[in-house]
Structures are given as C-alpha cells and as structure tokens.
C-alpha cells in the first residue's frame, strides 16, 4: 500500500568533558566524529523525507503530497500506478485523518541525484485517536532541475496486525549512520548501462521459479517489503520471507522506470501477479537495481498483493 490512504487505502560541563576526552584520545575522537557522518546527499534525502512527514502532520495528507511529489511522480491507488499530483488534487484538504511515518533506511546513487527511503507508517482515521492501519512505505526520490529531491514514486505494504505497535517494532534511528544500510560500492564504468536486461532476465526467471530467481538476483544487502512480514534487510532474511510466502512464480508487468545520471541505480514499477498454490493473486511492485562489480543486483523491492 502506498501512503495514499486507501485503508478500507549540552551543558557546559558535558562540553568540557567531551573536549577533555577528545584531547586524551586524539585521533580516535576524530575517527569517532567522522564515523557519524553519512553521504551529504543521503543526509539531505533523509531530511526531506522527515520534512515531508512533518508537513503531513502539521497540515494534512494531500497538502503534504502535493508539496513533495514530482509533477511526474506516481502513486498506487489500488488499481495501478497513477499520477500523484492529479490524484491528490482531488482529495479534500483539512480532514481529520492523519498519516504518520519516518524513514529507517535510505540510499542514494553515486552522483546523489536519485535515491530511495523506507520505514514504518501508521494511519489514523481521526488524528486524536489510535492508529487503525500500518505498514511500511517505500519511496523513490529524484532531484529536479532546481536540485531539490522530489518523490517520483510512493508505494508500500500493509500490515494487518496491531497498528499501534508499528513504531515500537521499528523505532526511529538515533544515529545518522543507521540510515545508510546499503554500503557504497566502487564505481562500475559502463558506457551504456543495461539494467533492463537484468530486469527482463529476472522477470523471466521469476515466471518459472520465484525462489531460484531471487537467489540469483538479490544483493547481499537488500530491502525487501512484503505485507505482514518483518522488514527484510539481508539476502538471508529476504529469502526466508519469500520461502514463507510459498509463491511458485511471479509475473511482473513493467509500466514505468528510471535511472540515475551515473547509471548505477535504476528503478521500475508496475503490476504484479503471483501464483500461490491453485490461486493467482494480483497487486503492484517497485524494484530498485544497483550496478555492482558482479553485475546488476536487486537492492530493494516492494511487492503488495491484495486481490
């Protein structure tokens, strides 16, 4: 589910102590300070995501989305991917409902022009009451011509459990470095990056044997989102989640895509169909590919199956 709501959508003493400790430890303190830093573009992306959430809480959901969506940004409305600006322009402002969220993870491309964020969300039908829905959001961001990050795609998955516990399960990070889960990789020089060949190969393999396809194409560090499943952050965790779903095969119908300037990060989205036992379930997907020394690998994926 996207964040489009369709739920049934120091003190001076401390400073002197710290200075003394740094003087005593010398370079060790310098290293400690540097270790708390992250890529400036990732820091900017995280700030924008937090500001986005704050605006939704300060005003209302449609006002926030209209401010942060790119003019070409898409959301999923239950039927498929639609233009977010057009959709939210028709949503009444000033409602009692509230969408609350914060990022727990983020990643940016090598040139810092594109990235993604993810974390838990809660939906409150009335902002003075308890949450009635929750899940994980997933957003793809890209800098516009003015150099500001805008939301190109907003999606996510719904959880059917106790919505009031969503933020307890995944608390907001207290350190900047906690957001940078996907490790930086050496730049891979390729004149004509071809992520869509990898996407097509993965889709073909997933149509025959989903488990084997994911084993072949998942990166070791990956963000995997599925409804009613924990936040997967490693290949082993992701494969465990996929095994629990017992899906034999997938059909992915790509309807949109994008790639970073450096050609190291690419995303695509569209409709998804999955065969589970003797049933076929449908929904939508978003997938992010990273160009790594070993080739193109999936570093993030959200699949929401709801009908």
């Amino acid at each position: 589910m996207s964040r489009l709501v369709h739920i049934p959508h120091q003190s001076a003493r401390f400073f002197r102590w710290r200075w003394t400790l740094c003087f005593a430890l010398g370079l060790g303190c310098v290293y400690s300070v540097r270790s708390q830093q992250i890529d400036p573009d990732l820091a900017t992306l995280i700030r924008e995501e937090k500001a986005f959430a704050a605006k939704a809480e300060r005003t209302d959901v449609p006002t926030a989305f209209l401010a942060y969506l790119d003019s070409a940004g898409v959301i999923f409305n239950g039927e498929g991917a639609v233009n977010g600006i057009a959709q939210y322009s028709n949503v009444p402002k000033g409602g009692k409902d509230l969408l609350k969220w914060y990022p727990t993870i983020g990643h940016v491309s090598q040139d810092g022009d594109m990235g993604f964020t993810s974390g838990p969300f809660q939906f409150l039908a009335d902002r003075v009451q308890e949450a009635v829905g929750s899940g994980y959001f997933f957003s793809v961001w890209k800098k516009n011509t003015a150099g500001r990050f805008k939301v190109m795609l907003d999606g996510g998955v719904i959880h059917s459990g106790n919505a009031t516990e969503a933020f307890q399960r995944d608390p907001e990070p207290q350190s900047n470095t906690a957001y940078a889960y996907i490790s930086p990789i050496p730049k891979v020089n390729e004149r004509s990056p071809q992520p869509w060949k990898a996407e097509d190969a993965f889709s073909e393999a997933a149509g025959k044997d989903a488990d084997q396809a994911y084993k072949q194409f998942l990166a070791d560090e990956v963000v995997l989102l599925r409804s009613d499943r924990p936040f997967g952050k490693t290949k082993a965790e992701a494969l465990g989640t996929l095994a629990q779903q017992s899906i034999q095969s997938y059909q992915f119908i790509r309807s949109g895509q994008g790639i970073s300037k450096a050609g190291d990060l690419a995303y695509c989205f569209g409709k998804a169909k999955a065969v589970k036992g003797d049933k076929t379930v449908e929904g939508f997907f978003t997938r992010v590919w990273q160009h790594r020394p070993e080739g193109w690998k999936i570093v993030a994926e959200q699949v929401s199956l709801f009908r």
Side-chain angles (χ1 to χ4, degrees):
M1 168 189 156
S2 70
R3 282 174 291 191
L4 169 65
V5 179
H6 55 85
I7 296 179
H9 194 4
Q10 281 188 15
S11 63
R13 179 181 298 176
F14 175 76
F15 178 81
R16 288 194 297 270
W17 173 83
R18 184 184 178 94
W19 184 90
T20 302
L21 181 62
C22 286
F23 181 81
L25 296 178
L27 292 176
C29 182
V30 175
Y31 174 80
S32 178
V33 172
R34 288 178 178 172
S35 69
Q36 295 302 308
Q37 298 174 350
I38 59 174
D39 183 292
D41 289 302
L42 177 55
T44 299
L45 178 56
I46 295 300
R47 284 197 301 270
E48 287 294 302
E49 182 67 81
K50 289 182 175 181
F52 181 14
K55 190 171 185 69
E57 192 159 0
R58 188 172 64 251
T59 58
D60 53 55
V61 174
T63 297
F65 271 83
L66 290 171
Y68 282 87
L69 276 165
D70 185 86
S71 59
V74 300
I75 60 174
F76 297 97
N77 67 354
E79 296 298 323
V82 298
N83 181 274
I85 296 293
Q87 185 79 23
Y88 274 107
S89 293
N90 295 320
V91 178
K93 300 180 179 64
K96 293 182 179 181
D97 60 322
L98 175 63
L99 204 56
K100 299 175 68 175
W101 73 89
Y102 52 76
T104 57
I105 202 167
H107 182 70
V108 291
S109 59
Q110 291 174 345
D111 283 355
D113 65 305
M114 194 172 84
F116 64 83
T117 53
S118 187
F121 74 81
Q122 286 183 334
F123 173 66
L124 294 75
D126 188 321
R127 60 178 61 212
V128 299
Q129 298 179 4
E130 289 189 337
V132 295
S134 66
Y136 292 116
F137 73 86
F138 185 83
S139 296
V140 176
W141 298 70
K142 196 169 186 178
K143 286 183 179 178
N144 61 13
T145 55
R148 181 183 173 186
F149 276 116
K150 288 286 202 175
V151 178
M152 294 301 298
L153 179 146
D154 186 76
V157 296
I158 303 173
H159 288 337
S160 59
N162 189 337
T164 62
E165 298 176 356
F167 293 163
Q168 297 174 23
R169 291 191 297 265
D170 299 279
E172 189 169 6
Q174 299 302 304
S175 169
N176 248 2
T177 56
Y179 296 104
Y181 176 70
I182 308 296
S183 301
I185 61 168
K187 189 167 185 177
V188 180
N189 294 316
E190 185 178 11
R191 290 186 178 181
S192 181
Q194 297 292 332
W196 315 126
K197 287 186 176 181
E199 171 66 26
D200 291 343
F202 167 74
S203 294
E204 183 179 355
K208 300 174 182 177
D209 187 325
D211 289 343
Q212 287 302 316
Y214 281 102
K215 286 178 183 178
Q216 179 181 351
F217 287 95
L218 283 181
D220 290 333
E221 301 163 331
V222 60
V223 178
L224 187 96
L225 300 181
R226 294 294 192 274
S227 296
D228 292 325
R229 293 293 185 272
F231 199 102
K233 291 174 63 178
T234 67
K235 184 174 183 177
E237 290 176 353
L239 292 175
T241 290
L242 293 165
Q244 291 173 5
Q245 291 195 300
S246 301
I247 290 176
Q248 293 99 308
S249 64
Y250 282 100
Q251 180 186 6
F252 296 110
I253 305 168
R254 191 163 83 242
S255 59
Q257 60 197 41
I259 190 167
S260 65
K261 289 180 180 179
D264 65 305
L265 202 66
Y267 73 97
C268 59
F269 60 91
K271 293 186 177 181
K273 295 182 180 180
V275 176
K276 186 174 183 179
D278 58 352
K279 296 181 180 180
T280 298
V281 287
E282 300 181 6
F284 56 83
F285 78 95
T286 306
R287 192 154 38 246
V288 180
W289 293 85
Q290 184 183 44
H291 198 190
R292 305 166 72 92
E294 66 271 26
W296 285 96
K297 294 292 182 179
I298 298 168
V299 291
E301 187 193 66
Q302 161 257 308
V303 175
S304 181
L305 302 170
F306 49 86
R307 63 170 181 250

